[in-house]
Amino acid sequence: MFRTNEYYDGNVKSIAYETPEGRATLGVMAKGEYEFGTSTIEEMTVVSGEMKVLLPGETSWKTFGEFETFIVPKDSRFRVRVAGDTAYRCYYR
């Protein structure tokens, strides 16, 4: 069954579901800057909009547009900036 998640006073919301490849979420972020932690490897794809991402161990932000993917290592923290409503899909490995 689906499970909903809400973070940052409702500015980030997602729906968790199971795929043949494992657990995943579809979500949206409102304009803002956010920090997240991982407990598994996360493969994130921007579905609409654009994300600026500061990955673990990096000093410069990278921009990801629609249908671009980035990987976040297990047991790490990363930061995201969005200029407007942005949708994403995340697979947990």
Side-chain angles (χ1 to χ4, degrees):
M1 187 46 71
F2 302 122
R3 187 182 79 247
T4 58
N5 303 298
E6 188 172 310
Y7 310 96
Y8 293 99
D9 296 322
N11 287 318
V12 179
K13 295 184 180 186
S14 67
I15 299 172
Y17 64 103
E18 290 294 324
T19 74
E21 294 82 27
R23 193 169 57 96
T25 56
L26 290 172
V28 291
M29 296 181 189
K31 178 181 178 180
E33 184 171 327
Y34 310 100
E35 183 174 37
F36 300 99
T38 66
S39 59
T40 64
I41 296 170
E42 295 188 10
E43 179 182 317
M44 293 191 68
T45 301
V46 177
V47 175
S48 69
E50 182 179 272
M51 287 185 185
K52 294 184 187 301
V53 181
L54 184 61
L55 292 166
E58 299 289 329
T59 57
S60 61
W61 292 79
K62 295 182 180 168
T63 302
F64 296 88
E66 291 183 5
F67 307 111
E68 292 186 310
T69 300
F70 58 94
I71 307 285
V72 184
K74 177 181 178 179
D75 298 325
S76 63
R77 299 196 70 72
F78 68 105
R79 293 170 54 194
V80 175
R81 288 181 187 155
V82 294
D85 293 348
T86 300
Y88 65 91
R89 178 192 66 212
C90 183
Y91 285 118
Y92 301 88
R93 306 289 182 208

XYZ file of all heavy atoms in Angstrom:
749
model
N 0.845 -1.180 0.000
C 0.000 0.000 0.000
C 0.887 1.238 0.000
O 2.049 1.188 0.346
C -0.916 -0.040 1.217
C -1.973 1.045 1.260
S -2.919 1.372 -0.231
C -3.956 -0.050 -0.352
N 0.312 2.366 -0.352
C 1.038 3.628 -0.398
C 1.216 4.202 1.002
O 0.388 4.011 1.876
C 0.288 4.654 -1.248
C 0.056 4.204 -2.652
C -1.230 4.118 -3.152
C 1.105 3.861 -3.479
C -1.458 3.714 -4.447
C 0.888 3.458 -4.777
C -0.401 3.379 -5.262
N 2.312 4.935 1.181
C 2.555 5.650 2.431
C 2.967 7.077 2.066
O 3.760 7.277 1.164
C 3.670 4.968 3.221
C 3.859 5.565 4.627
C 5.006 4.907 5.388
N 6.278 5.457 4.935
C 7.216 4.794 4.275
N 7.060 3.531 3.978
N 8.340 5.369 3.900
N 2.407 8.049 2.753
C 2.769 9.433 2.468
C 3.767 9.939 3.496
O 3.754 9.523 4.657
C 1.529 10.346 2.454
O 0.886 10.257 3.721
C 0.561 9.928 1.358
N 4.645 10.832 3.047
C 5.655 11.444 3.902
C 5.569 12.955 3.728
O 5.294 13.445 2.632
C 7.060 10.991 3.485
C 7.197 9.490 3.510
O 7.067 8.871 4.548
N 7.445 8.894 2.357
N 5.822 13.671 4.807
C 5.796 15.125 4.756
C 6.958 15.667 5.586
O 7.195 15.206 6.700
C 4.469 15.623 5.318
C 4.248 17.084 5.156
C 2.841 17.496 5.549
O 1.867 16.876 5.091
O 2.744 18.452 6.337
N 7.681 16.639 5.009
C 8.847 17.228 5.661
C 8.789 18.745 5.531
O 8.112 19.281 4.648
C 10.150 16.736 5.010
C 10.232 15.244 4.869
C 9.873 14.629 3.677
C 10.648 14.441 5.928
C 9.942 13.248 3.536
C 10.719 13.061 5.786
C 10.367 12.475 4.589
O 10.431 11.121 4.452
N 9.562 19.428 6.354
C 9.713 20.881 6.262
C 8.357 21.590 6.187
O 8.073 22.328 5.242
C 10.616 21.267 5.080
C 12.039 20.831 5.285
C 12.532 19.668 4.711
C 12.885 21.578 6.099
C 13.842 19.252 4.922
C 14.202 21.185 6.310
C 14.661 20.024 5.730
O 15.960 19.607 5.941
N 7.537 21.355 7.210
C 6.234 22.015 7.344
C 5.364 21.860 6.095
O 4.657 22.784 5.695
C 6.400 23.496 7.684
C 7.067 23.703 9.034
O 6.775 22.927 9.963
O 7.877 24.644 9.158
N 5.453 20.707 5.462
C 4.626 20.427 4.290
C 5.192 20.927 2.976
O 4.569 20.744 1.932
N 6.387 21.516 2.988
C 6.991 22.008 1.748
C 7.599 20.895 0.899
O 7.910 21.115 -0.269
C 8.052 23.063 2.044
C 7.430 24.364 2.483
O 6.431 24.806 1.910
N 7.981 24.976 3.509
N 7.795 19.730 1.486
C 8.265 18.546 0.757
C 7.309 17.405 1.108
O 7.103 17.107 2.281
C 9.709 18.165 1.146
C 10.154 16.907 0.394
C 10.667 19.315 0.898
N 6.720 16.802 0.072
C 5.798 15.684 0.283
C 6.115 14.583 -0.711
O 6.527 14.849 -1.837
C 4.348 16.132 0.090
C 3.902 17.139 1.130
C 2.451 17.473 0.964
C 2.040 18.499 2.030
N 0.608 18.748 2.001
N 5.918 13.334 -0.258
C 6.153 12.219 -1.164
C 5.193 11.075 -0.865
O 4.604 11.003 0.211
C 7.602 11.721 -1.062
O 7.846 11.142 0.202
N 5.054 10.213 -1.859
C 4.263 8.993 -1.732
C 5.206 7.826 -1.972
O 5.866 7.755 -3.018
C 3.109 8.952 -2.746
C 2.166 10.133 -2.514
C 2.362 7.626 -2.655
C 1.112 10.279 -3.584
N 5.299 6.923 -1.001
C 6.169 5.743 -1.112
C 5.377 4.592 -1.715
O 4.186 4.435 -1.441
C 6.703 5.359 0.263
N 6.058 3.782 -2.527
C 5.428 2.621 -3.150
C 6.503 1.588 -3.467
O 7.696 1.877 -3.395
C 4.650 3.026 -4.408
C 5.514 3.586 -5.519
C 5.840 2.815 -6.630
C 6.012 4.882 -5.466
C 6.628 3.317 -7.649
C 6.800 5.394 -6.482
C 7.099 4.613 -7.566
O 7.890 5.117 -8.569
N 6.070 0.389 -3.787
C 6.990 -0.696 -4.139
C 7.006 -0.894 -5.646
O 5.969 -0.845 -6.295
C 6.564 -2.002 -3.459
C 6.769 -2.017 -1.958
C 8.231 -1.968 -1.537
O 9.088 -2.560 -2.229
O 8.507 -1.321 -0.509
N 8.212 -1.112 -6.190
C 8.384 -1.416 -7.616
C 9.036 -2.792 -7.723
O 9.527 -3.322 -6.718
C 9.293 -0.374 -8.297
O 10.647 -0.604 -7.885
C 8.872 1.048 -7.964
N 9.100 -3.378 -8.909
C 9.810 -4.646 -9.060
C 11.291 -4.534 -8.659
O 11.904 -5.513 -8.265
C 9.671 -4.962 -10.553
C 8.413 -4.272 -10.960
C 8.381 -3.009 -10.130
N 11.849 -3.306 -8.734
C 13.253 -3.083 -8.367
C 13.427 -2.746 -6.891
O 14.544 -2.611 -6.414
C 13.852 -1.948 -9.210
C 13.952 -2.257 -10.684
C 12.635 -2.034 -11.420
O 11.804 -1.199 -10.991
O 12.417 -2.713 -12.432
N 12.325 -2.541 -6.162
C 12.409 -2.200 -4.747
C 11.597 -0.965 -4.403
O 10.765 -0.506 -5.172
N 11.892 -0.405 -3.229
C 11.142 0.742 -2.708
C 11.463 2.013 -3.480
O 12.605 2.247 -3.884
C 11.493 0.915 -1.231
C 10.610 1.845 -0.469
C 10.863 1.748 1.027
N 12.239 2.010 1.389
C 12.690 3.195 1.795
N 11.881 4.216 1.898
N 13.955 3.352 2.112
N 10.429 2.874 -3.651
C 10.607 4.140 -4.362
C 9.644 5.176 -3.793
O 8.696 4.835 -3.085
C 10.346 3.952 -5.853
N 9.910 6.449 -4.115
C 8.981 7.525 -3.778
C 8.838 8.450 -4.975
O 9.758 8.597 -5.778
C 9.441 8.370 -2.567
O 10.744 8.880 -2.814
C 9.432 7.570 -1.283
N 7.659 9.048 -5.071
C 7.404 10.157 -5.984
C 7.097 11.344 -5.100
O 6.298 11.230 -4.160
C 6.208 9.872 -6.887
C 6.405 8.794 -7.939
C 5.080 8.491 -8.625
C 7.439 9.256 -8.965
N 7.734 12.480 -5.367
C 7.527 13.606 -4.471
C 7.594 14.943 -5.150
O 7.938 15.053 -6.330
N 7.250 15.965 -4.364
C 7.324 17.348 -4.821
C 7.958 18.200 -3.731
O 7.822 17.914 -2.538
C 5.938 17.919 -5.190
C 5.397 17.265 -6.443
C 4.970 17.772 -4.051
N 8.669 19.238 -4.166
C 9.285 20.205 -3.252
C 8.836 21.596 -3.666
O 8.856 21.928 -4.863
C 10.810 20.159 -3.345
C 11.425 18.876 -2.910
S 13.231 18.996 -3.063
C 13.664 17.290 -2.756
N 8.445 22.408 -2.701
C 8.155 23.814 -2.952
C 9.468 24.582 -2.949
O 10.499 24.091 -2.470
C 7.217 24.356 -1.873
N 9.452 25.788 -3.462
C 10.632 26.644 -3.486
C 11.285 26.672 -2.108
O 10.608 26.837 -1.088
C 10.223 28.064 -3.875
C 11.359 29.047 -3.882
C 10.883 30.435 -4.251
C 12.052 31.411 -4.187
N 11.624 32.759 -4.545
N 12.610 26.456 -2.074
C 13.326 26.502 -0.810
C 14.624 25.732 -0.863
O 15.044 25.246 -1.916
N 15.276 25.632 0.302
C 16.511 24.859 0.446
C 16.291 23.840 1.545
O 15.763 24.169 2.608
C 17.684 25.765 0.800
C 18.995 25.008 0.861
C 20.208 25.926 0.988
O 20.195 27.039 0.439
O 21.164 25.494 1.653
N 16.711 22.596 1.296
C 16.440 21.490 2.196
C 17.676 20.624 2.359
O 18.518 20.541 1.467
C 15.281 20.631 1.641
C 14.083 21.445 1.254
C 13.836 21.779 -0.067
C 13.195 21.912 2.224
C 12.739 22.548 -0.427
C 12.093 22.680 1.883
C 11.875 22.994 0.550
O 10.792 23.764 0.212
N 17.752 19.949 3.500
C 18.827 18.986 3.740
C 18.195 17.654 4.105
O 17.240 17.601 4.892
C 19.744 19.456 4.865
C 20.914 18.506 5.079
C 21.913 19.026 6.095
O 21.482 19.644 7.099
O 23.105 18.806 5.891
N 18.734 16.583 3.521
C 18.207 15.242 3.756
C 19.342 14.297 4.124
O 20.479 14.494 3.707
C 17.512 14.704 2.498
C 16.357 15.545 2.043
C 16.508 16.457 1.023
C 15.124 15.432 2.657
C 15.448 17.245 0.598
C 14.056 16.214 2.250
C 14.219 17.123 1.217
N 19.015 13.252 4.863
C 19.950 12.187 5.184
C 19.506 10.902 4.513
O 18.317 10.717 4.238
N 20.461 10.026 4.256
C 20.148 8.748 3.612
C 20.499 7.576 4.527
O 21.443 7.661 5.308
C 20.934 8.588 2.297
O 22.326 8.504 2.599
C 20.673 9.736 1.344
N 19.745 6.513 4.410
C 20.083 5.266 5.103
C 20.375 4.162 4.092
O 20.830 3.084 4.444
C 18.957 4.841 6.049
O 17.766 4.658 5.333
N 20.084 4.441 2.815
C 20.406 3.541 1.703
C 20.976 4.404 0.587
O 20.945 5.632 0.658
C 19.143 2.819 1.162
O 18.263 3.800 0.610
C 18.436 2.031 2.245
N 21.466 3.781 -0.466
C 21.835 4.531 -1.666
C 20.534 5.057 -2.267
O 19.551 4.327 -2.365
C 22.574 3.631 -2.676
C 23.901 3.155 -2.084
C 22.794 4.362 -3.997
C 24.587 2.080 -2.903
N 20.523 6.326 -2.662
C 19.332 6.922 -3.259
C 19.655 7.375 -4.680
O 20.629 8.085 -4.908
C 18.825 8.098 -2.427
C 18.342 7.653 -1.061
C 17.663 8.753 -0.269
O 17.379 9.836 -0.844
O 17.414 8.530 0.925
N 18.823 6.960 -5.611
C 18.941 7.345 -7.015
C 17.780 8.291 -7.314
O 16.634 7.862 -7.396
C 18.863 6.099 -7.892
C 18.946 6.362 -9.356
C 18.810 5.078 -10.154
O 19.411 4.058 -9.767
O 18.081 5.111 -11.159
N 18.073 9.577 -7.430
C 17.022 10.585 -7.595
C 17.002 11.117 -9.020
O 18.043 11.475 -9.565
C 17.221 11.730 -6.614
C 17.025 11.314 -5.173
S 16.934 12.714 -4.042
C 15.396 13.464 -4.518
N 15.799 11.200 -9.582
C 15.592 11.743 -10.915
C 14.619 12.909 -10.830
O 13.551 12.781 -10.229
C 15.019 10.672 -11.868
O 15.930 9.577 -11.930
C 14.797 11.221 -13.263
N 14.998 14.024 -11.423
C 14.099 15.172 -11.496
C 13.031 14.849 -12.543
O 13.357 14.486 -13.669
C 14.865 16.455 -11.872
C 13.915 17.629 -12.011
C 15.946 16.750 -10.844
N 11.779 14.977 -12.177
C 10.669 14.699 -13.092
C 10.205 15.984 -13.769
O 9.928 16.006 -14.960
C 9.505 14.013 -12.344
C 8.298 13.832 -13.245
C 9.949 12.674 -11.778
N 10.101 17.063 -13.013
C 9.807 18.372 -13.598
C 10.456 19.442 -12.734
O 10.634 19.264 -11.536
C 8.300 18.609 -13.709
O 7.725 18.771 -12.439
N 10.848 20.542 -13.374
C 11.553 21.594 -12.656
C 13.047 21.385 -12.705
O 13.575 20.738 -13.614
N 13.716 21.929 -11.685
C 15.177 21.883 -11.627
C 15.621 21.862 -10.177
O 15.019 22.516 -9.334
C 15.727 23.127 -12.331
C 17.217 23.212 -12.396
C 17.665 24.457 -13.131
O 17.799 24.402 -14.372
O 17.857 25.492 -12.458
N 16.685 21.093 -9.894
C 17.255 21.027 -8.553
C 18.731 21.409 -8.613
O 19.455 20.947 -9.493
C 17.209 19.609 -7.990
C 15.894 19.109 -7.582
S 16.092 17.472 -6.802
C 14.384 17.072 -6.572
N 19.145 22.226 -7.671
C 20.566 22.453 -7.437
C 20.903 21.580 -6.227
O 20.212 21.635 -5.212
C 20.844 23.914 -7.167
C 20.580 24.802 -8.361
C 20.971 26.229 -8.080
C 20.572 27.165 -9.180
N 21.091 26.900 -10.472
N 21.947 20.768 -6.351
C 22.251 19.758 -5.344
C 23.702 19.897 -4.891
O 24.612 20.031 -5.721
C 22.011 18.337 -5.909
C 22.309 17.278 -4.865
C 20.582 18.199 -6.425
N 23.901 19.854 -3.579
C 25.240 19.788 -3.006
C 25.399 18.382 -2.449
O 24.847 18.038 -1.405
C 25.432 20.841 -1.912
C 26.835 20.922 -1.316
C 27.868 21.277 -2.397
C 26.871 21.944 -0.190
N 26.129 17.563 -3.191
C 26.313 16.161 -2.813
C 27.372 16.025 -1.733
O 28.239 16.897 -1.582
C 26.696 15.342 -4.050
C 25.578 15.211 -5.091
C 26.120 14.694 -6.406
C 24.479 14.302 -4.566
N 27.349 14.931 -0.985
C 28.334 14.714 0.083
C 29.761 14.779 -0.450
O 30.070 14.234 -1.510
C 28.015 13.297 0.582
C 26.633 13.020 0.139
C 26.420 13.813 -1.118
N 30.612 15.502 0.281
C 32.018 15.608 -0.091
C 32.312 16.608 -1.195
O 33.463 16.833 -1.538
N 31.276 17.219 -1.765
C 31.456 18.197 -2.843
C 31.457 19.612 -2.262
O 30.869 19.854 -1.206
C 30.342 18.074 -3.881
C 30.275 16.722 -4.567
C 31.425 16.495 -5.529
O 31.923 17.477 -6.121
O 31.837 15.334 -5.681
N 32.089 20.544 -2.960
C 32.101 21.936 -2.518
C 31.306 22.838 -3.451
O 31.060 23.989 -3.128
C 33.545 22.458 -2.409
O 34.181 22.297 -3.687
C 34.320 21.697 -1.343
N 30.925 22.322 -4.610
C 30.137 23.134 -5.536
C 28.794 22.468 -5.823
O 28.682 21.244 -5.862
C 30.900 23.372 -6.848
O 31.172 22.155 -7.483
N 27.787 23.312 -5.984
C 26.434 22.852 -6.293
C 26.372 22.436 -7.753
O 26.966 23.078 -8.616
C 25.441 23.978 -6.039
C 25.300 24.341 -4.594
C 26.153 25.111 -3.855
C 24.245 23.967 -3.715
N 25.696 25.235 -2.567
C 24.513 24.545 -2.455
C 23.088 23.213 -3.860
C 23.684 24.380 -1.358
C 22.250 23.056 -2.771
C 22.546 23.624 -1.534
N 25.611 21.362 -8.039
C 25.396 20.901 -9.408
C 23.906 21.042 -9.719
O 23.063 20.791 -8.863
C 25.838 19.454 -9.571
C 27.324 19.279 -9.391
C 27.749 17.854 -9.599
C 29.259 17.781 -9.393
N 29.735 16.434 -9.304
N 23.602 21.418 -10.949
C 22.221 21.605 -11.366
C 21.739 20.395 -12.157
O 22.429 19.929 -13.065
C 22.086 22.880 -12.225
O 22.540 23.996 -11.451
C 20.643 23.103 -12.649
N 20.555 19.899 -11.804
C 19.932 18.767 -12.481
C 18.566 19.201 -12.984
O 17.753 19.724 -12.219
C 19.797 17.566 -11.539
C 21.117 17.017 -11.097
C 21.748 17.517 -9.969
C 21.747 16.026 -11.826
C 22.979 17.030 -9.558
C 22.989 15.531 -11.432
C 23.602 16.038 -10.300
N 18.338 19.005 -14.290
C 17.070 19.363 -14.911
C 16.195 18.133 -15.109
O 16.517 17.036 -14.643
N 15.108 18.346 -15.838
C 14.147 17.275 -16.059
C 14.802 16.037 -16.649
O 15.587 16.120 -17.587
C 13.029 17.766 -16.961
C 12.156 18.791 -16.263
C 10.991 19.259 -17.101
O 10.774 18.727 -18.211
O 10.284 20.171 -16.640
N 14.509 14.902 -16.033
C 14.955 13.569 -16.435
C 16.445 13.334 -16.230
O 16.989 12.360 -16.734
C 14.503 13.241 -17.861
C 13.027 13.448 -18.038
C 12.543 14.472 -18.826
C 12.122 12.659 -17.357
C 11.184 14.692 -18.960
C 10.753 12.869 -17.480
C 10.282 13.884 -18.283
N 17.099 14.206 -15.461
C 18.485 13.954 -15.073
C 18.496 13.306 -13.698
O 17.648 13.591 -12.853
C 19.287 15.251 -15.062
C 19.469 15.830 -16.453
C 20.368 17.030 -16.472
O 20.163 17.959 -15.658
O 21.276 17.055 -17.333
N 19.477 12.433 -13.483
C 19.550 11.611 -12.274
C 20.865 11.842 -11.547
O 21.901 12.045 -12.183
C 19.434 10.116 -12.662
O 18.177 9.908 -13.306
C 19.530 9.199 -11.450
N 20.794 11.795 -10.219
C 22.014 11.819 -9.414
C 21.907 10.747 -8.340
O 20.819 10.320 -7.972
C 22.291 13.202 -8.809
C 21.196 13.748 -7.934
C 21.223 13.559 -6.561
C 20.152 14.480 -8.487
C 20.219 14.080 -5.749
C 19.150 15.007 -7.687
C 19.184 14.805 -6.318
N 23.055 10.292 -7.851
C 23.135 9.214 -6.861
C 23.687 9.786 -5.562
O 24.691 10.505 -5.572
C 24.067 8.073 -7.335
C 23.673 7.587 -8.722
C 24.103 6.940 -6.302
C 22.453 6.742 -8.801
N 23.055 9.456 -4.454
C 23.510 9.885 -3.135
C 23.931 8.636 -2.358
O 23.159 7.671 -2.267
C 22.404 10.631 -2.366
C 22.936 11.153 -1.050
C 21.831 11.762 -3.207
N 25.146 8.616 -1.816
C 25.616 7.435 -1.086
C 24.802 7.163 0.187
O 24.173 8.062 0.751
C 27.058 7.792 -0.713
C 27.433 8.951 -1.550
C 26.170 9.662 -1.883
N 24.882 5.931 0.630
C 24.265 5.493 1.883
C 24.895 6.228 3.069
O 26.079 6.567 3.045
C 24.486 3.978 2.021
C 23.972 3.382 3.290
C 24.272 1.894 3.335
C 23.788 1.317 4.644
N 24.029 -0.114 4.736
N 24.085 6.469 4.094
C 24.541 7.065 5.353
C 25.265 8.399 5.140
O 26.360 8.619 5.649
C 25.449 6.096 6.121
C 24.723 4.824 6.510
O 23.513 4.894 6.821
O 25.350 3.751 6.487
N 24.637 9.270 4.366
C 25.225 10.592 4.117
C 24.135 11.655 4.145
O 22.960 11.354 4.283
C 25.961 10.591 2.772
O 25.058 10.358 1.712
N 24.562 12.906 4.023
C 23.633 14.035 3.992
C 23.884 14.815 2.714
O 25.025 14.916 2.252
C 23.818 14.923 5.215
C 23.547 14.147 6.520
C 23.346 15.026 7.709
N 22.112 15.785 7.717
C 20.885 15.275 7.924
N 20.745 13.980 8.097
N 19.820 16.054 7.937
N 22.808 15.372 2.146
C 22.940 16.211 0.963
C 21.938 17.347 1.034
O 20.941 17.271 1.741
C 22.776 15.391 -0.319
C 21.385 14.841 -0.550
C 20.543 15.422 -1.496
C 20.918 13.745 0.158
C 19.273 14.919 -1.719
C 19.650 13.222 -0.065
C 18.829 13.814 -1.004
N 22.241 18.427 0.294
C 21.379 19.611 0.303
C 20.790 19.834 -1.083
O 21.437 19.528 -2.088
C 22.173 20.827 0.765
C 22.568 20.694 2.228
C 23.543 21.734 2.691
N 23.079 23.095 2.427
C 23.880 24.161 2.496
N 25.147 24.024 2.815
N 23.403 25.357 2.250
N 19.572 20.381 -1.095
C 18.855 20.636 -2.345
C 18.287 22.045 -2.302
O 17.743 22.465 -1.283
C 17.696 19.619 -2.520
C 16.859 19.947 -3.738
C 18.211 18.205 -2.601
N 18.393 22.759 -3.425
C 17.747 24.066 -3.595
C 16.828 23.980 -4.806
O 17.247 23.492 -5.859
C 18.770 25.161 -3.890
C 19.629 25.558 -2.746
C 20.566 26.677 -3.183
N 21.519 26.975 -2.126
C 22.703 27.516 -2.334
N 23.101 27.828 -3.563
N 23.504 27.757 -1.312
N 15.598 24.450 -4.654
C 14.682 24.521 -5.785
C 14.121 25.938 -5.851
O 13.783 26.532 -4.832
C 13.568 23.458 -5.718
C 14.151 22.058 -5.853
C 12.775 23.545 -4.435
N 14.031 26.473 -7.075
C 13.555 27.842 -7.277
C 12.037 27.900 -7.402
O 11.450 28.967 -7.308
C 14.206 28.443 -8.515
N 11.412 26.755 -7.630
C 9.960 26.670 -7.767
C 9.537 25.236 -7.578
O 10.378 24.357 -7.371
N 8.248 24.977 -7.637
C 7.751 23.614 -7.444
C 8.491 22.647 -8.360
O 8.605 22.880 -9.567
C 6.251 23.544 -7.725
C 5.428 24.318 -6.709
O 5.978 24.726 -5.670
O 4.233 24.508 -6.970
N 9.015 21.582 -7.764
C 9.837 20.603 -8.488
C 9.414 19.200 -8.071
O 9.225 18.926 -6.891
C 11.327 20.827 -8.159
O 11.684 22.152 -8.564
C 12.209 19.833 -8.879
N 9.272 18.315 -9.059
C 8.888 16.935 -8.785
C 10.072 16.007 -9.008
O 10.944 16.274 -9.846
C 7.725 16.522 -9.688
N 10.092 14.902 -8.253
C 11.197 13.941 -8.350
C 10.705 12.523 -8.102
O 9.635 12.294 -7.559
C 12.289 14.273 -7.329
C 11.819 14.113 -5.893
C 11.979 12.904 -5.219
C 11.176 15.147 -5.231
C 11.530 12.743 -3.931
C 10.731 15.007 -3.932
C 10.896 13.798 -3.289
O 10.438 13.640 -2.012
N 11.537 11.571 -8.532
C 11.344 10.152 -8.218
C 12.631 9.678 -7.567
O 13.727 10.039 -8.011
C 11.094 9.349 -9.486
C 10.929 7.845 -9.192
C 10.982 7.021 -10.448
N 12.322 7.129 -11.016
C 12.572 7.088 -12.326
N 11.635 6.988 -13.205
N 13.831 7.190 -12.744
N 12.509 8.888 -6.517
C 13.680 8.375 -5.831
C 13.569 6.862 -5.672
O 12.556 6.360 -5.184
C 13.809 9.036 -4.450
S 15.297 8.530 -3.560
N 14.600 6.144 -6.122
C 14.706 4.709 -5.878
C 15.691 4.498 -4.734
O 16.741 5.139 -4.675
C 15.238 3.969 -7.111
C 14.232 3.822 -8.220
C 14.460 4.397 -9.459
C 13.054 3.098 -8.037
C 13.551 4.262 -10.488
C 12.146 2.963 -9.057
C 12.398 3.545 -10.279
O 11.483 3.420 -11.301
N 15.371 3.587 -3.845
C 16.225 3.255 -2.704
C 16.884 1.916 -2.967
O 16.214 0.918 -3.189
C 15.382 3.222 -1.417
C 14.696 4.540 -1.158
C 13.446 4.807 -1.699
C 15.321 5.529 -0.414
C 12.819 6.035 -1.502
C 14.706 6.756 -0.217
C 13.462 6.990 -0.759
O 12.844 8.211 -0.567
N 18.206 1.888 -2.929
C 18.962 0.665 -3.280
C 19.566 0.017 -2.055
O 20.109 0.567 -1.229
C 20.065 0.992 -4.279
C 19.584 1.716 -5.510
C 18.785 0.810 -6.379
N 18.368 1.534 -7.581
C 17.271 1.226 -8.240
N 16.475 0.286 -7.846
N 16.942 1.891 -9.314
